[in-house]
Amino acid sequence: MSVHDSVDSLPSSARAVFTLLTDGKARTLNELVGKVSFSPRTIRNALNRLRASGLIVAKFNFRDARKPLYQIKTA
């Protein structure tokens, strides 16, 4: 299954988050919530689903350790 097929099978909230992250910039949950019209809980669930699918990773945020950075998984 290709990445495109994996993304197409996800809910619209997860697709929206994935699309935002395709620019390569790592973002926090709050940054993502500010860019899409879904609730924070929905975005959190979308991030969990994307991580479980192996499409994104959560990285340590050196500016604020309480808020991980999410970005597209590279190879």
Side-chain angles (χ1 to χ4, degrees):
M1 185 184 280
S2 71
V3 170
H4 186 68
D5 292 338
S6 297
V7 173
D8 284 345
S9 67
L10 294 170
S12 60
S13 58
R15 288 194 310 267
V17 169
F18 186 83
T19 300
L20 275 175
L21 293 174
T22 56
D23 67 359
K25 182 181 176 191
R27 292 184 173 87
T28 64
L29 172 67
N30 289 339
E31 290 171 328
L32 291 166
V33 168
K35 301 273 186 196
V36 294
S37 58
F38 294 100
S39 71
R41 174 185 257 176
T42 301
I43 299 303
R44 192 175 305 109
N45 289 337
L47 289 167
N48 288 336
R49 187 169 267 202
L50 288 165
R51 285 179 67 197
S53 299
L55 296 170
I56 66 168
V57 294
K59 296 177 14 178
F60 184 78
N61 184 349
F62 289 98
R63 290 190 181 143
D64 188 344
R66 298 168 295 169
K67 300 176 181 178
L69 293 168
Y70 299 94
Q71 73 179 56
I72 301 275
K73 185 176 183 178
T74 55

